[in-house]
Amino acid sequence: MGGYLIRRLLLVIPTLFGIIAINFAVAQFAPGGPVEQIIAELKGKGGDAAARASGGGGGGEVMAAGPADNNGSYRGRRGLDPHLVDDIRRMFGFDKPPLERFWIMLKGYLQFDFGRSFFRDKPVLTLIGEKMPVSISLGLWSTLLVYFVSIPLGVAKAVRDGSRFDLVSSLAVLIGYAIPGFLFAVLLVVVFAGGSYLQWFPLRGLASEGAEHWSWGARALDYLWHMVLPTTALVAGGFATLTILTKNSFMEEIRKQYVVTARAKGATESRVLYRHVFRNAMLLIIAGFPAAFIGILFTSALLVEIVFSLDGLGLLGFESAIRRDYPVMFGTLYIFTLLGLIMQIVGDFMYTLVDPRIDFEARR
């Protein structure tokens, strides 16, 4: 197992390099880069914006990528002083050729230096650190609740396959699978957050105004109160797939010969189910926890964060992509990819913990 883990860790390096290189190359052809946006702002707002552009920003040298026309000048610059446009390009680091910018970026990444945001005037790591608690809270609680709901429900459906309970619960699973999480989030807002009916839960953020002055217990309850609706929205959309997977895994194991043998030896049904079947059936499900957490943390939560005004990583990445804030875009991409690759390795390690019979070294 040790040699396998070392090989997987070594593969992280070329994988990260390939992903960053491909996305950097794609960004060269994407229209509407940060320079073009500043130029459009200058042409729309006049001199005040020009003064801000020539004196602010900065820090874009570590991460700079953007489209230019065939002559190296940006579309939309007509009517502006060429020297001002050159100053803007230099401010964002676009006065260097793409290959040089790419190597500067990689050199900074090796030192975990992701530069500064073009439009927020903060280091990328500072921004990620500010948004991370929101996304971690949402992803962790949602993943835990999905597992706590799906596993017992899936086991119950497998044991009572074909019963009325199985049919009724299948309808609930189908509804949860069919309704997107963000649409369910909007429904929760309308019904429970003061939209049209009740106002039981808050709509914005993870803490009430002035909560920093409350006692520890009051802050904890306030935090859980704010987490109810966004977590419910993610759980409703995420439990369906895991429930069906749990049911199918248990049903496949129940039909195997060792279960028939255990029953023939006089083992009780609960002993057969939880001593023999559970360990084999839960292998894929438990080992997939890291990947499920990463999936909810970095993908599923985006629209839910928008609906509930949660300033997390998903919203940060979305706004950065819209504004072409390349340091934040590529910095978050680097960290997300690195975490995803590490979590895949953790998932493989969990396979061996759940079932020691698995030996990755023996695979060819």
Side-chain angles (χ1 to χ4, degrees):
M1 185 64 183
Y4 172 78
L5 289 177
I6 292 175
R7 290 194 299 271
R8 287 294 302 272
L9 288 173
L10 291 176
L11 283 173
V12 168
I13 298 174
T15 304
L16 271 175
F17 178 83
I19 292 174
I20 295 298
I22 291 172
N23 283 273
F24 186 90
V26 171
Q28 306 306 305
F29 303 99
V35 174
E36 290 181 316
Q37 293 195 25
I38 291 295
I39 290 174
E41 181 180 351
L42 296 181
K43 295 177 71 174
K45 295 185 177 180
D48 292 340
R52 291 198 305 271
S54 59
E61 189 172 358
V62 172
M63 174 60 62
D69 61 23
N70 295 331
N71 298 320
S73 59
Y74 287 83
R75 295 181 293 271
R77 64 178 289 177
R78 296 178 180 84
L80 293 177
D81 184 354
H83 296 291
L84 176 59
V85 176
D86 291 338
D87 289 341
I88 296 173
R89 293 179 61 200
R90 191 178 304 107
M91 179 181 69
F92 287 121
F94 291 111
D95 56 323
K96 300 178 177 65
L99 189 60
E100 183 179 352
R101 299 200 307 269
F102 180 69
W103 288 117
I104 292 174
M105 177 188 71
L106 289 184
K107 183 179 178 181
Y109 281 9
L110 291 176
Q111 304 170 2
F112 266 75
D113 177 13
F114 302 104
R116 300 178 67 88
S117 168
F118 285 161
F119 301 104
R120 298 171 186 259
D121 197 26
K122 287 185 178 181
V124 174
L125 280 179
T126 300
L127 286 172
I128 293 176
E130 292 174 353
K131 315 302 180 183
M132 184 68 79
V134 174
S135 295
I136 290 290
S137 296
L138 196 56
L140 184 60
W141 286 117
S142 301
T143 306
L144 290 175
L145 286 175
V146 164
Y147 270 73
F148 285 146
V149 171
S150 300
I151 291 176
L153 181 59
V155 172
K157 286 173 65 61
V159 174
R160 306 175 189 177
D161 182 46
S163 66
R164 180 176 297 179
F165 170 81
D166 183 37
L167 295 176
V168 173
S169 59
S170 294
L171 178 61
V173 169
L174 179 62
I175 294 175
Y177 184 79
I179 299 178
F182 76 93
L183 187 60
F184 190 67
V186 173
L187 177 64
L188 291 176
V189 169
V190 171
V191 177
F192 297 108
S196 299
Y197 300 96
L198 306 172
Q199 195 168 0
W200 291 353
F201 299 97
L203 180 59
R204 301 177 60 87
L206 293 182
S208 299
E209 185 176 356
E212 63 274 9
H213 303 296
W214 299 353
S215 65
W216 182 89
R219 291 199 306 271
L221 290 176
D222 181 66
Y223 163 77
L224 294 175
W225 184 44
H226 282 76
M227 286 297 299
V228 170
L229 292 188
T231 303
T232 302
L234 286 176
V235 170
F239 85 100
T241 302
L242 187 60
T243 299
I244 297 301
L245 178 61
T246 304
K247 176 186 176 182
N248 293 340
S249 298
F250 268 80
M251 290 188 64
E252 181 181 355
E253 293 296 324
I254 289 173
R255 298 190 183 104
K256 290 184 177 179
Q257 186 62 40
Y258 74 89
V259 176
V260 177
T261 303
R263 287 171 174 167
K265 290 182 177 180
T268 62
E269 191 65 24
S270 61
R271 181 180 178 83
V272 170
L273 184 63
Y274 294 105
R275 181 70 178 272
H276 300 284
V277 175
F278 187 84
R279 184 174 186 174
N280 295 324
M282 294 305 296
L283 174 62
L284 177 64
I285 298 167
I286 294 177
F289 180 87
F293 171 67
I294 289 295
I296 291 179
L297 180 63
F298 295 143
T299 57
S300 303
L302 168 59
L303 294 176
V304 173
E305 287 183 11
I306 295 175
V307 171
F308 290 101
S309 300
L310 299 176
D311 195 8
L313 291 175
L315 188 58
L316 174 66
F318 174 76
E319 292 177 347
S320 300
I322 294 298
R323 298 203 67 184
R324 302 296 194 271
D325 195 345
Y326 292 120
V328 179
M329 280 177 55
F330 285 94
T332 54
L333 174 65
Y334 179 87
I335 293 177
F336 292 173
T337 305
L338 181 61
L339 286 177
L341 293 172
I342 292 175
M343 283 300 179
Q344 288 181 0
I345 299 174
V346 172
D348 288 346
F349 182 69
M350 290 186 67
Y351 274 110
T352 62
L353 291 181
V354 176
D355 190 348
R357 296 172 298 176
I358 293 179
D359 183 7
F360 287 100
E361 294 286 354
R363 297 195 309 173
R364 294 182 180 178

